[in-house]
Amino acid sequence: MSAGTSLKFVVWTFIVCFLASSVSLTKARCQFKQNWQGRWFQSGIQGLILINNTHIESKGECYEEQGDKYLVYDKSEDCYRCLVLHEKHSSVLQYKETYCETKDSLAEICSRIVGDAALYSMFRKYPEVKPLDCPFKSAPFTFGYNRGTGDCSNPPSRAESCTDDSRLVLKYQACPDVPSSESNVEELICLATWKEGSTKYLIGKISQGNRRSLTSDEDQYRCFIYQKGKEDGKIVYSIAQSGDATCSGLQSPTEGSRTMKLTIVDDQHKRCRFPEWITTHHTWVSLDHHKTFKFAQKNATLKILDDETTRPIRIHQNFAQPQFAFQDLGFESEDQKQNSEMRLVCHGILQQLDNKQVQIVAHVTAGCDSGYVCMMFYKRDSNIMEIQQSNRYYENADEACATFDPSEIAYTTLVAPTLHSKKCPHLGRYSIQLNAFMEKRKRREQPGDLKLGNAEPDCISNEYEGLSVGCSGSHEMEFKSTCPSQSTNSYACHGSWEEDGLTYVITTPIVTTRRSTIHQDNTLRYCFIFQLSNQPQEDVIEGGLGKSAGPPILKMSKVGESCHRYVKPGVGGSWALNFTSNGACDQSTSDNASSILIPAIMLIVLSIAATVFLR
Ligand SMILES: *[C@@H]1O[C@H](CO)[C@@H](O)[C@H](O)[C@H]1NC(C)=O
Ligand SMILES: *[C@@H]1O[C@H](CO)[C@@H](O)[C@H](O)[C@H]1NC(C)=O
Ligand SMILES: *[C@@H]1O[C@H](CO)[C@@H](O)[C@H](O)[C@H]1NC(C)=O
């Protein structure tokens, strides 16, 4: 080997080594924690900071790691800086850093972080942070506050709970003698808590009334130090709030840009219990299944969920794409969910009647709205009840029932999740009221329609000619169609009650499939409203005995949502029919009934036989 080639070899080795090292530079040498990945907000920095497994945006690429110390390489400036990163909570990172310097060891660069170096806080925005229960238990509170210009505790401000325990509504009062005090409503959403020594920290988002969507992260993120204590035997929370979206400048629960002292309110709900005849079913549902009523916490709390409020579609958050990151969808969607949930606490039982009817004052929390309402509960049958609730919230419990008028308030009909068949009211056989039926037939038999009429005798789908209630020993109502081909439309009865001359029946449709297997469709429940009345005297045919005014008339309507009182039987509802009575089941005046019955029995026998043979 000549000196020349040997030199060439050295140069080549050097080039290869250089290339290799530069390749390894682009391939990161260390990684940040998996759960740090996302977009983070930091006060004073435009936009959000992206952290992926190798990079922290604006800081650089992970170069070397030792415990909580990271040496990061900033490619654009070709320099190195040390970051000391602490994860305070899965959504809070705090760090101190050095200037970006020429390459040196991690230990050397990191040693240049001085004790009083600025501490920065980053709050994770994406992936979305799930709020957590606020650490201040048992709202409502009264509180006084200080914004650096004196205590404002008279009149006292109030903090109210929300349905969601991760929220608190702060209703600030103005004090005439304190310059910086003003009356204002703020909502706090608790996002993260941690402890350092004996100091407890909370990160929350503050929003002002309904201007939520207009305020920036800079205005919303706040850091708190809080402490639970006792004063005069009452639980007291001392809270200091930061003046900006950092945790700097907070030292103790009594020093901060704003301090508050929350005291648990004495006049807690007396926490009566909802009567046993109501809580015997822990869950009640509305007929259309949209509302669910659930009793909790020793039967003193009732939770009402209403899924009719349409939930927003969750938009997939691609946190690596800035255009998505700036849409603050997370909290708006949380809000809408909260609006469909109500929490009621029994505050006082006013009057109770025979375990059948009760008037209750309840404290309601719906989203972050709260107040007192008057409620009536009516037991209608063992698995059926109805409730009424005043339309607005009252500040004082005493006002809630003062002007309550049951005759002016709608009923919500509720049933237990499982229903059993029960005897139907108005047993017997009925046929469609003749005058109406014949009028239609006459119309059909007009000359022009004659040919058509012959081709399709008397058959119009969705038209009924007969009804039998509870005949053949079943707890069912069978509506007989005018079309022989169409199967009968049957409903199982689950309980009924009478009110003001009307009968209300809760039913479920019975689905008969071709193989004559019968099952109840429990997802559908209806309220049938009946009115049975004798025919008016005018209808008596002259020369009749004067005793009989013709067979009784049964008017009925079917309603889907609740047993609405405004529905007039035979007129309103999703389905209205008028029948005349043919008498009791056994005194069958119509041969049709028995001719239906026999094939039905035959079919059952045959199907039993078939199943036996098929085995
Ligand atoms: C991490 O982000 C940096 C830019 O900040 C980018 O160059 C790099 O490709 C990203 N890495 C991954 C694995 O996505
Ligand atoms: C709530 O009421 C139901 C029925 O009355 C009863 O079985 C249950 O034990 C009660 N729960 C509590 C916690 O008191
Ligand atoms: C039932 O009778 C009432 C009168 O009593 C009438 O107004 C209503 O239209 C009738 N309904 C039907 C479906 O025929």
Side-chain angles (χ1 to χ4, degrees):
M1 229 189 254
S2 74
T5 47
S6 129
L7 184 66
K8 259 185 195 165
F9 177 77
V10 169
V11 167
W12 271 112
T13 316
F14 181 79
I15 290 168
V16 165
C17 285
F18 178 79
L19 280 175
S21 72
S22 67
V23 162
S24 71
L25 262 186
T26 50
K27 195 166 165 268
R29 304 193 171 193
C30 61
Q31 296 205 332
F32 296 111
K33 293 212 173 87
Q34 179 71 25
N35 63 325
W36 293 354
Q37 294 186 28
R39 292 198 156 257
W40 298 72
F41 165 78
Q42 183 186 323
S43 177
I45 291 189
Q46 274 275 310
L48 299 173
I49 299 167
L50 173 75
I51 300 181
N52 64 20
N53 56 355
T54 55
H55 285 74
I56 297 181
E57 200 176 45
S58 80
K59 303 291 180 205
E61 178 187 6
C62 196
Y63 186 81
E64 198 181 336
E65 175 216 336
Q66 200 179 83
D68 52 14
K69 296 189 181 76
Y70 290 86
L71 193 63
V72 294
Y73 172 63
D74 187 339
K75 202 173 169 187
S76 59
E77 304 284 325
D78 188 24
C79 59
Y80 296 80
R81 80 176 86 218
C82 173
L83 292 177
V84 183
L85 268 161
H86 291 276
E87 182 184 325
K88 296 296 177 186
H89 180 268
S90 62
S91 60
V92 180
L93 282 178
Q94 287 190 328
Y95 69 90
K96 290 185 175 190
E97 63 181 350
T98 59
Y99 294 110
C100 208
E101 303 179 32
T102 49
K103 187 158 195 251
D104 209 334
S105 71
L106 178 140
E108 180 52 36
I109 295 184
C110 288
S111 71
R112 291 172 203 156
I113 292 180
V114 287
D116 61 352
L119 178 70
Y120 300 100
S121 299
M122 289 199 284
F123 309 121
R124 203 182 72 213
K125 277 206 82 177
Y126 305 105
E128 205 177 301
V129 180
K130 195 174 171 284
L132 45 77
D133 288 0
C134 289
F136 322 119
K137 296 280 181 297
S138 300
F141 301 100
T142 56
F143 69 95
Y145 63 97
N146 189 330
R147 289 176 186 174
T149 54
D151 282 327
C152 173
S153 51
N154 199 8
S157 302
R158 261 181 93 86
E160 308 268 2
S161 59
C162 300
T163 356
D164 183 344
D165 290 326
S166 65
R167 284 155 186 254
L168 200 66
V169 175
L170 301 160
K171 295 177 176 167
Y172 288 94
Q173 294 283 349
C175 289
D177 51 333
V178 183
S180 68
S181 70
E182 55 170 343
S183 78
N184 181 24
V185 178
E186 284 184 358
E187 193 183 311
L188 167 70
I189 304 169
C190 298
L191 297 176
T193 53
W194 74 91
K195 221 173 135 179
E196 257 166 56
S198 60
T199 311
K200 287 175 173 165
Y201 285 89
L202 162 72
I203 299 298
K205 264 188 152 188
I206 287 274
S207 55
Q208 311 261 333
N210 15 355
R211 283 183 289 136
R212 174 173 312 135
S213 51
L214 299 176
T215 44
S216 63
D217 288 334
E218 205 73 63
D219 296 327
Q220 289 189 39
Y221 281 106
R222 287 294 178 269
C223 187
F224 301 83
I225 290 179
Y226 65 94
Q227 189 177 49
K228 187 178 172 180
K230 247 186 181 179
E231 264 177 35
D232 306 329
K234 283 186 206 161
I235 290 172
V236 173
Y237 289 98
S238 300
I239 305 168
Q241 181 180 326
S242 64
D244 56 19
T246 71
C247 287
S248 328
L250 278 183
Q251 263 109 48
S252 80
T254 52
E255 294 163 85
S257 128
R258 178 185 297 186
T259 56
M260 289 174 265
K261 194 184 257 183
L262 268 57
T263 311
I264 286 184
V265 176
D266 257 344
D267 99 59
Q268 282 284 321
H269 315 302
K270 280 168 245 152
R271 288 227 165 209
C272 48
R273 289 191 183 174
F274 287 98
E276 213 169 298
W277 60 267
I278 300 175
T279 57
T280 178
H281 294 294
H282 266 280
T283 304
W284 292 86
V285 289
S286 61
L287 298 183
D288 57 12
H289 290 259
H290 283 309
K291 289 198 182 87
T292 309
F293 288 60
K294 272 191 179 149
F295 292 94
Q297 287 181 18
K298 296 179 181 154
N299 295 333
T301 303
L302 169 61
K303 220 177 191 181
I304 306 175
L305 297 156
D306 191 343
D307 70 3
E308 216 158 17
T309 350
T310 43
R311 296 266 168 84
I313 303 152
R314 275 218 173 260
I315 293 170
H316 177 68
Q317 301 280 358
N318 185 350
F319 55 77
Q321 281 179 285
Q323 67 265 35
F324 282 107
F326 289 107
Q327 290 175 9
D328 191 5
L329 292 157
F331 290 96
E332 297 301 326
S333 56
E334 264 313 295
D335 275 359
Q336 291 185 25
K337 194 191 105 207
Q338 293 312 319
N339 287 343
S340 62
E341 189 178 316
M342 265 198 194
R343 190 163 64 191
L344 289 98
V345 180
C346 186
H347 180 84
I349 295 181
L350 297 193
Q351 42 171 300
Q352 177 137 223
L353 226 138
D354 297 339
N355 287 338
K356 282 206 153 148
Q357 188 178 317
V358 67
Q359 188 174 43
I360 286 174
V361 177
H363 184 266
V364 180
T365 311
C368 288
D369 257 353
S370 57
Y372 293 94
V373 290
C374 191
M375 294 185 92
M376 291 291 293
F377 290 79
Y378 305 88
K379 182 177 183 172
R380 299 306 190 190
D381 209 321
S382 54
N383 290 331
I384 303 164
M385 75 165 172
E386 286 195 298
I387 63 155
Q388 288 180 305
Q389 187 192 309
S390 49
N391 300 319
R392 50 163 289 208
Y393 300 164
Y394 294 86
E395 281 287 313
N396 298 312
D398 304 338
E399 294 170 50
C401 285
T403 57
F404 186 80
D405 181 1
S407 69
E408 289 190 344
I409 291 169
Y411 289 88
T412 304
T413 310
L414 299 175
V415 295
T418 46
L419 290 173
H420 308 291
S421 290
K422 289 195 130 194
K423 198 171 157 187
C424 303
H426 303 312
L427 298 181
R429 294 186 195 281
Y430 304 84
S431 46
I432 203 95
Q433 202 179 16
L434 220 59
N435 44 8
F437 191 61
M438 276 179 68
E439 261 173 48
K440 277 182 194 152
R441 181 177 288 200
K442 262 186 224 153
R443 253 185 279 128
R444 250 180 276 144
E445 284 171 359
Q446 270 163 15
D449 293 339
L450 211 66
K451 281 169 204 164
L452 260 173
N454 285 342
E456 282 179 11
D458 293 339
C459 179
I460 294 176
S461 65
N462 295 326
E463 200 168 272
Y464 295 89
E465 59 181 8
L467 165 66
S468 81
V469 181
C471 297
S472 68
S474 64
H475 296 329
E476 287 169 19
M477 300 186 290
E478 295 167 27
F479 292 86
K480 197 175 158 264
S481 166
T482 49
C483 297
S485 56
Q486 200 167 310
S487 62
T488 49
N489 202 347
S490 300
Y491 293 84
C493 298
H494 296 294
S496 61
W497 72 96
E498 263 183 58
E499 195 184 311
D500 295 333
L502 303 184
T503 314
Y504 298 85
V505 193
I506 303 302
T507 66
T508 47
I510 294 168
V511 179
T512 314
T513 57
R514 280 215 183 135
R515 287 182 181 176
S516 79
T517 49
I518 293 164
H519 73 271
Q520 288 180 14
D521 187 351
N522 280 317
T523 58
L524 295 169
R525 273 137 194 190
Y526 297 105
C527 180
F528 278 72
I529 310 174
F530 288 101
Q531 184 175 31
L532 187 68
S533 53
N534 289 317
Q535 293 205 27
Q537 211 61 29
E538 298 91 72
D539 281 1
V540 182
I541 303 147
E542 290 258 7
L545 286 171
K547 246 178 163 178
S548 157
I553 294 175
L554 186 69
K555 292 179 196 157
M556 66 134 277
S557 283
K558 176 176 140 183
V559 193
E561 189 194 356
S562 264
C563 295
H564 294 304
R565 302 311 197 264
Y566 60 78
V567 173
K568 222 178 140 211
V571 182
S574 62
W575 210 40
L577 295 168
N578 293 339
F579 295 98
T580 53
S581 172
N582 296 338
C585 289
D586 46 5
Q587 60 184 89
S588 162
T589 51
S590 142
D591 289 338
N592 290 352
S594 52
S595 67
I596 296 170
L597 211 63
I598 291 163
I601 288 168
M602 289 281 284
L603 272 175
I604 290 165
V605 170
L606 278 175
S607 66
I608 289 167
T611 48
V612 167
F613 278 119
L614 280 172
R615 281 182 178 202

